[in-house]
Amino acid sequence: MASGVGSIAGIGAAADPRLSLSGQGIDQTTYPQRLLEKLHDPSIPFEEYLHFAKITRAEEDRLYGPGSDYQATDGPATAFIKEKILRKRAQRRTSIEQPRLSISAQGEAQIARPAESGNESGNEKTTQDRKFEPMIISDDEWVQASRAARTATWSAVFYLITTDILGPFSTGYAFSQMGLGPGVALFTVFGALGGYSGYQLWRMYLQLDSDRYPMKGYGDIGFRVYGSWFRHTVNSLQSFQFFLNVALIILTSGQSISQLSKGNLCFIVCMAVCTIFGCIVGQIRTLQRFGWLASWAVFLNLFIIFATMGVMAHSPPNYKLYAASNPDFNINNPDPIQVSGAAPSGLSIVDNVNGLMNAVFSFGGATLFVELMSEMRRPMDFWKGLVCADILIYLCYMVYGLYTYCMQGQYAYNVSYQGVSPYSWQTVGNILGLITGLIAAVLYGNIGIKVLYNNLGRDLLKFPRLESKGGKWIFVFFVPIYWILAWVAAQSVPQINSWIVLVGAGCILQFTYTFPPFMMMGFKIQRDAILPQETYDPATGQVQRVDSGVKRWIRGFKKELWWNLFDLVYYLGSCVTCILGLYAAFTTMVDAYKSSPNLSAWRCESPTG
């Protein structure tokens, strides 16, 4: 699911009853005196993550589960209003009462509170020359701070997963490359496997995330299962996917502007306009400002879907657009529309794989599942949003893809609203698609830059915190560089089909189909290798293990042998599909350069003809 990206803080949020943890069973044994341990500290044992995750899930279930006090309190709307009022009151008191959080050079967390000073008699106090004295954060305060941002409900997660940007408009083209039978079968299989991968990510998150060690991104699961090398691999690929998404949206938005100008505006300029927009609007660092804009994307896209379905039923395909990428096509005497039940004749394995990768692109939301779960009040409920979103997206994509293919046959274009022939409806689709696409590009770019900054800049280049003055200036400087590089990439290969296949095979396939079974195998092997006589002391963080090495891994793998074998086959099959997809992507790029001058780099001629 190519989910839209936005802020889920406040969506379905309600007042948090966890205002105090005293008297709730949180003692020194449960939360030892260890302050702000590095979340990516390789010395923390696997058993420690499991231990604190169990405590956190039990506490969430007590507070928010069936029969809890939260269930009988205010509804989401009332609680949300109360929360806003309390937040504004707290902001007004900030300059007087709020302590200042700082991190020492040794990595210790401290709260600076104003020290009261008085005269010798102690009867008078002065507010002049207040000094701040450090106070170590207590375990209770750290737990509360860790939970403070978790306000989203499963309905909010469902809403964001279904806030799709690019997926539905490529499904008709996908079916035209695979045929009805193979298309339905493969789309169903990949949809089911996408749901299974989401389930795997959810199960690992529940057993590894805790208030003590919160997980914020996909790479955090990789780190806790395989170590730093896999975390850096995941974060780098995630950043690369967001970068390619921005480049792809710049390309589709450029084509929309080109169609709106009827080809009278140089295509390089069309894409440059989108890039300049991103350089300016991308300076907004907080995604919450885009939340309400992103929420409109789902309604605008649904309108485009229903509008194009109606137009396709009463008008022929856009033959001019088809001819732009197929020079041998006779636009004056087009072949009749053909719909094939099996794989269409005249297409190669590369074409079939291209169609498959477009289907894979539809189920690419797993890249952000961990980020979504990290903001949930009760992550145990994530499965509800996942199942509802999976079913809705599968049905919508399947119906829209089949309808587009049956109406336009081999002429189905990627992006579908650009493939209708009436210019008026092209204009409607392009304007609405331009709005949703540019919003999506800014959001993807924002997250992509932050992933690069936090995981590469801070870890490898020792950048300051993004919230600091230096970090803000680095962000301001890097945004235009990021967008210009994306524009250069898109302008060098102005081929939507090639980019979708490349993003699908190189990135989305990994996050949705390759990494989940690979990480699940490693997770279950380590978890199931733990023997009853092995102990973990939460007070010291020490683990007593009976053995180590290959013997331990074999024991863990055999515990759930058939599931692990299935995941192994699933993982290997995904790797093979990745290789086929990358081969098809690069082959399509090369062939497009040879056969269609309009699809070559840095030309004023538009790919839309």
Side-chain angles (χ1 to χ4, degrees), residues 90-164:
Q91 290 174 349
R92 286 196 295 266
R93 297 195 303 265
T94 296
S95 60
I96 301 176
E97 300 176 4
Q98 189 179 46
R100 298 188 308 193
L101 176 65
S102 63
I103 306 296
S104 67
Q106 290 75 27
E108 296 181 345
Q110 299 177 338
I111 290 184
R113 300 186 185 274
E116 297 179 354
S117 59
N119 55 17
E120 295 180 356
S121 63
N123 296 326
E124 296 181 0
K125 295 180 180 180
T126 177
T127 58
Q128 296 179 352
D129 300 327
R130 280 191 171 183
K131 297 181 180 180
F132 286 84
E133 56 184 8
M135 184 187 72
I136 299 297
I137 297 178
S138 68
D139 287 330
D140 285 1
E141 288 176 315
W142 172 235
V143 171
Q144 292 181 58
S146 174
R147 294 176 174 178
R150 302 191 179 201
T151 58
T153 61
W154 71 266
S155 58
V157 169
F158 161 76
Y159 184 78
L160 281 179
I161 294 176
T162 53
T163 306
D164 189 87

Side-chain angles (χ1 to χ4, degrees), residues 230-402:
F230 194 64
R231 170 177 166 258
H232 290 308
T233 299
V234 168
N235 288 334
S236 299
L237 190 62
Q238 190 180 38
S239 300
F240 186 60
Q241 177 182 333
F242 290 138
F243 176 79
L244 292 183
N245 280 342
V246 172
L248 179 58
I249 296 175
I250 288 176
L251 178 57
T252 56
S253 300
Q255 286 195 180
S256 293
I257 295 176
S258 180
Q259 273 196 333
L260 290 171
S261 68
K262 295 185 177 181
N264 295 323
L265 188 61
C266 177
F267 188 63
I268 297 176
V269 176
C270 294
M271 294 178 64
V273 170
C274 304
T275 305
I276 294 172
F277 173 87
C279 291
I280 297 173
V281 182
Q283 295 294 339
I284 300 176
R285 287 182 299 107
T286 171
L287 289 180
Q288 190 172 6
R289 299 177 184 272
F290 286 103
W292 69 275
L293 286 175
S295 66
W296 280 94
V298 62
F299 302 108
L300 295 177
N301 284 328
L302 283 174
F303 176 80
I304 296 174
I305 288 173
F306 291 127
T308 52
M309 290 175 72
V311 174
M312 290 174 188
H314 298 90
S315 62
N318 190 342
Y319 296 121
K320 180 181 178 182
L321 188 61
Y322 184 81
S325 56
N326 295 273
D328 298 332
F329 176 69
N330 186 357
I331 193 173
N332 296 318
N333 186 26
D335 295 330
I337 294 174
Q338 299 177 358
V339 177
S340 175
S345 59
L347 298 180
S348 64
I349 184 65
V350 171
D351 298 316
N352 301 146
V353 173
N354 281 341
L356 176 60
M357 289 302 106
N358 276 268
V360 166
F361 201 89
S362 304
F363 297 101
T367 309
L368 290 172
F369 279 2
V370 177
E371 282 83 351
L372 297 181
M373 285 185 280
S374 70
E375 294 194 31
M376 291 189 67
R377 173 182 297 108
R378 192 170 184 268
M380 185 69 72
D381 292 336
F382 176 79
W383 70 272
K384 301 176 184 178
L386 175 64
V387 171
C388 292
D390 236 359
I391 294 175
L392 178 63
I393 289 178
Y394 171 80
L395 293 176
C396 287
Y397 284 30
M398 180 72 77
V399 170
Y400 187 63
L402 289 174

Side-chain angles (χ1 to χ4, degrees), residues 398-413:
M398 180 72 77
V399 170
Y400 187 63
L402 289 174
Y403 183 90
T404 302
Y405 179 47
C406 290
M407 290 292 102
Q408 296 193 325
Q410 71 274 29
Y411 302 110
Y413 187 71

Side-chain angles (χ1 to χ4, degrees), residues 9 15 25 27 76 164 245 302 309 328 434-435 447 481 509 543 559:
D27 54 25
D164 189 87
N245 280 342
L302 283 174
M309 290 175 72
D328 298 332
L434 189 63
I435 294 172
I447 293 180
I481 296 177
L509 187 74
V543 177
K559 182 71 176 294

Side-chain angles (χ1 to χ4, degrees), residues 68-85:
S68 65
D69 293 338
Y70 170 76
Q71 297 293 328
T73 57
D74 297 325
T78 304
F80 179 65
I81 295 173
K82 289 183 177 179
E83 182 185 13
K84 289 290 186 182
I85 295 174

Side-chain angles (χ1 to χ4, degrees), residues 524-574:
K524 289 197 294 187
I525 286 172
Q526 295 184 70
R527 183 198 63 186
D528 296 339
I530 300 174
L531 295 172
Q533 61 268 33
E534 294 181 340
T535 60
Y536 164 71
D537 185 357
T540 62
Q542 298 299 313
V543 177
Q544 299 296 329
R545 293 175 180 167
V546 174
D547 55 9
S548 61
V550 178
K551 180 180 179 181
R552 188 177 186 85
W553 283 74
I554 293 175
R555 180 173 69 245
F557 188 85
K558 291 169 63 177
K559 182 71 176 294
E560 295 187 14
L561 180 62
W562 293 110
W563 271 119
N564 288 328
L565 287 175
F566 174 80
D567 287 338
L568 179 60
V569 173
Y570 179 23
Y571 165 70
L572 294 176
S574 180

